[in-house]
Amino acid sequence: MTDNEVYIAIRAQLLKQLNEAGIAVPVVAGFQSTKQGREDSFVMFFPIEEAAQGWQGRNYHVVGRDANHRETQWVEKTLQVQGVGTVQALTANDITATVRMMVNSLPFVEALRKQHIGVQRAGNLRTPFFINDQGNYEMSPSFDVKITHSREIKPNTAAVNALYPDIYRI
């Protein structure tokens, strides 16, 4: 799976569950290559790290001279989820805490599992403040969640049909 496939699945499920809860807030991916402008209120997620889990698996399905070589690696990616602004009577902390509960919920975990994405338990909520562009203190709550998915490559590998050893005694 590519990063975009994983992020699209996560964003779609977050939007669905926020809509079902009656919370109308955009969900955006952080660190995008094109700037989209800032919303007053939003939920944002972005990757922090990725670690390989276990050994890289290899398999072959030989057809003629093509080995149909495929290598698969399970990865564990840490995402940070952050809420900004207020929606209805909810503070940024309320929005972020609600999203954390949604990420831990059975509907979220099962929907992503069906798309071959594992969800680990979301971590503690952090609530730092910063001074915004208007000189006011603004809350910037966030939490981390680990997800798992596979990455795959298909190297061009030729198949060997026969091996003729030519060994001589010295």
Side-chain angles (χ1 to χ4, degrees):
M1 279 189 125
T2 65
D3 284 343
N4 281 341
E5 291 169 331
V6 171
Y7 300 155
I8 287 168
I10 291 170
R11 182 176 183 270
Q13 191 60 31
L14 282 175
L15 285 169
K16 179 179 184 238
Q17 287 192 235
L18 284 164
N19 186 45
E20 290 171 357
I23 302 172
V25 62
V27 176
V28 298
F31 299 132
Q32 295 190 21
S33 57
T34 58
K35 295 183 177 149
Q36 300 176 35
R38 181 182 155 134
E39 298 277 343
D40 289 334
S41 300
F42 58 92
V43 172
M44 175 174 57
F45 65 93
F46 49 89
I48 296 175
E49 70 175 346
E50 181 177 305
Q53 297 298 310
W55 292 98
Q56 189 162 301
R58 293 175 184 85
N59 63 23
Y60 306 90
H61 180 67
V62 178
V63 177
R65 294 186 52 99
D66 187 4
N68 289 311
H69 177 188
R70 183 175 61 195
E71 300 202 12
T72 306
Q73 176 69 61
W74 278 96
V75 296
E76 183 179 76
K77 184 185 297 277
T78 304
L79 300 177
Q80 183 174 351
V81 181
Q82 181 176 8
V84 176
T86 58
V87 175
Q88 296 133 0
L90 302 174
T91 66
N93 196 60
D94 293 330
I95 295 167
T96 308
T98 301
V99 169
R100 182 182 62 176
M101 290 180 72
M102 288 175 180
V103 167
N104 283 331
S105 72
L106 185 59
F108 188 89
V109 172
E110 283 299 307
L112 291 181
R113 186 186 61 77
K114 289 176 183 174
Q115 298 176 65
H116 307 290
I117 302 168
V119 180
Q120 308 299 318
R121 188 172 186 277
N124 295 336
L125 194 64
R126 296 178 294 268
T127 55
F129 283 80
F130 67 97
I131 298 176
N132 65 16
D133 55 349
Q134 299 160 350
N136 298 323
Y137 285 100
E138 189 173 340
M139 186 182 296
S140 181
S142 66
F143 66 88
D144 295 345
V145 62
K146 290 188 183 283
I147 61 163
T148 56
H149 65 91
S150 66
R151 290 198 177 275
E152 185 176 279
I153 59 172
K154 295 178 181 176
N156 186 11
T157 307
V160 175
N161 293 331
L163 177 63
Y164 300 103
D166 197 7
I167 302 172
Y168 297 98
R169 186 175 203 174
I170 300 178

